[in-house]
Amino acid sequence: IILDALQKYWGKSQVEAGVIAECAAAEITKEIDYYRLTREFFDATTEEERVRFLDALFAVAAGDGQASFVEIEEIRTISQGLLLNHKQFIDAKLKLPADKRID
């Protein structure tokens, strides 16, 4: 699902998506510094790329059938850290069909 989302929303090849997903999984820890991570991501991307990233996050969250409330709230936190506005978050969230999200 992560590979599909990276290919669909970021235009990455299967190989590129695999490398990105592998690196991301290797870097996940309980002590993750969201502030530093979001600032670095913000600096390295355009606003359009950050909005597409939200689309990818929602697709991954719904990959098991439904995006949970906890997953949606985590995406909201990430969205705020990336300095995206509430409308951008809601627009990305509403791209998921209602039966794919718990509001």
Side-chain angles (χ1 to χ4, degrees):
I1 295 168
I2 293 172
L3 299 177
D4 293 340
L6 287 168
Q7 290 174 53
K8 179 178 179 180
Y9 297 106
W10 277 53
K12 299 300 179 187
S13 71
Q14 185 173 6
V15 172
E16 290 171 323
V19 170
I20 292 167
E22 188 176 314
C23 290
E27 293 297 318
I28 296 173
T29 67
K30 291 285 185 189
E31 297 83 32
I32 195 163
D33 181 351
Y34 276 111
Y35 179 78
R36 191 182 98 233
L37 185 62
T38 56
R39 287 290 70 82
E40 289 178 12
F41 188 79
F42 179 88
D43 290 341
T45 57
T46 65
E47 183 176 4
E48 179 183 338
E49 288 171 327
R50 292 188 293 277
V51 169
R52 288 196 336 247
F53 182 61
L54 286 187
D55 295 338
L57 290 176
F58 277 109
V60 169
D64 62 353
Q66 197 170 48
S68 72
F69 176 79
V70 171
E71 290 169 321
I72 291 170
E73 288 307 304
E74 189 66 27
I75 295 170
R76 182 189 312 273
T77 299
I78 293 167
S79 174
Q80 291 168 342
L82 296 176
L83 304 180
L84 295 172
N85 64 46
H86 184 68
K87 182 180 182 329
Q88 290 168 311
F89 167 78
I90 294 299
D91 288 347
K93 177 181 166 185
L94 294 178
K95 288 178 186 173
L96 285 181
D99 66 330
K100 295 285 186 185
R101 62 182 194 271
I102 299 174
D103 292 319

